[in-house]
Amino acid sequence: MLACAGCRDAPGPRRLTLVVPDGYRGIVRVVTDNAGSDAPIVDGEFVVAVPRNGMLRLKPLPLSATQGKDWQGVRCRTVSGVDIPSGAGLEVDGGVLQSEVAFWPLGRLVIASATDDAHDLLIGTVVDRDEAKTAPGHFAPGDVNAMKRYHALSGMGRSAYALGDLTTAASSARELLALADEFPNDWNFGDAVHDGNMLLGLVALRSGDITGARERLAAAGATPGSPHLDSAGPDMTLAKEMIASGEREAVLAYFAACERFWKYGSAHLFAWRQTVEAGGMPDFGRNLDH
């Protein structure tokens, strides 16, 4: 039964159900976006269909639902109605999943306020049993705590930097890069390489170390890419700050490096490069702090 998200008398939705195409395997990324789609409520749950590209944009979910005592988190099922086990619902014997397929949430539910332009709500991956091995770079029960911290460190570092806590921002970035070496096959590896170096570059720049900031910008651009970077593109916060500091050549080299993995952003990179070469500041839009 379809309900209204704004009805005050009805009990709030108890969870978010992701409906993936039959046979789907890969990353599921849900982003809150004020220009995104509404999440319909069906039988007391937010139920949303994930497209075949794995990327879904939703309007922010109400805090009254997601922070309520009855909230049960996220589950995943197929279009044909087959539940995909996740989290505590996974049956594991000797490090091997007993289900044919599993959904691994790769980060906690992050709620964006109505003033946010776009923000990750959650990221997870649908994998076959044979892919979920107890080994670095895979999503196995023994790795869950380290993996959760790994996927949280970028946000921790960004928050610390925004609050002016450069020490915590730098330590979070260094830990992120160190953990990336432990999970080289993880889908987030490229993001970790980029974001860890970007944060260290921002800290260096704030501390007056222009040379260090320049080196970190180059290291960020050396990322191999990732599902997120390849589609949405990299965060340009450090690039913007470097332009403001007069480091235009370093930023142009960074743009060139980004062309290797961000094929979808070639038009943006071309326009930004022209603006920088003309002595201006590009409008980076959604590629700032995302």
Side-chain angles (χ1 to χ4, degrees):
M1 178 174 130
L2 188 65
C4 169
C7 295
R8 295 185 179 180
D9 295 333
R14 60 183 178 273
R15 65 182 157 200
L16 173 66
T17 295
L18 304 174
V19 182
V20 299
D22 290 337
Y24 180 83
R25 301 292 185 272
I27 294 294
V28 174
R29 182 176 179 224
V30 183
V31 173
T32 57
D33 189 334
N34 290 327
S37 303
D38 288 308
I41 301 172
V42 181
D43 294 332
E45 300 179 1
F46 293 112
V47 179
V48 294
V50 177
R52 288 200 170 274
N53 66 5
M55 171 71 118
L56 179 65
R57 290 186 176 273
L58 295 178
K59 285 186 171 65
L61 301 181
L63 292 174
S64 59
T66 56
Q67 293 187 353
K69 61 182 178 62
D70 296 325
W71 182 250
Q72 298 176 15
V74 181
R75 73 166 183 168
C76 189
R77 66 173 173 83
T78 67
V79 169
S80 59
V82 177
D83 284 329
I84 299 177
S86 169
L90 293 173
E91 295 183 12
V92 181
D93 183 11
V96 179
L97 292 174
Q98 298 306 293
S99 56
E100 293 295 326
V101 64
F103 174 69
W104 286 97
L106 301 177
R108 66 183 179 85
L109 193 69
V110 178
I111 305 303
S113 70
T115 58
D116 286 336
D117 185 32
H119 199 294
D120 276 331
L121 182 66
L122 67 92
I123 302 177
T125 183
V126 179
V127 294
D128 286 313
R129 176 174 57 192
D130 292 341
E131 295 179 13
K133 300 174 181 177
T134 308
H138 296 271
F139 313 111
D143 296 328
V144 169
N145 290 334
M147 186 68 73
K148 283 183 176 179
R149 182 165 180 80
Y150 176 47
H151 288 284
L153 280 166
S154 178
M156 290 167 57
R158 290 167 184 265
S159 297
Y161 179 79
L163 294 171
D165 184 353
L166 301 187
T167 300
T168 300
S171 64
S172 296
R174 292 191 185 95
E175 185 179 357
L176 176 62
L177 292 172
L179 278 175
D181 289 337
E182 296 184 23
F183 298 102
N185 299 317
D186 178 53
W187 68 273
N188 191 56
F189 176 78
D191 293 89
V193 171
H194 182 275
D195 293 353
N197 281 293
M198 180 193 71
L199 275 168
L200 289 173
L202 287 168
V203 170
L205 195 59
R206 183 76 67 88
S207 303
D209 181 6
I210 296 295
T211 299
R214 192 184 304 127
E215 292 172 350
R216 289 296 179 178
L217 182 65
T223 175
S226 71
H228 171 222
L229 291 173
D230 296 357
S231 57
D235 188 320
M236 291 286 163
T237 302
L238 178 56
K240 181 178 180 180
E241 295 299 323
M242 291 291 280
I243 294 170
S245 298
E247 293 292 319
R248 294 180 179 274
E249 291 302 319
V251 172
L252 291 173
Y254 170 72
F255 288 165
C258 291
E259 289 176 352
R260 291 181 299 101
F261 57 86
W262 194 25
K263 307 298 183 184
Y264 293 110
S266 58
H268 289 300
L269 291 168
F270 178 78
W272 296 342
R273 183 167 57 248
Q274 284 192 315
T275 300
V276 172
E277 289 175 341
M281 176 67 77
D283 178 4
F284 289 114
R286 290 183 176 178
N287 287 88
L288 288 177
D289 193 25
H290 80 110

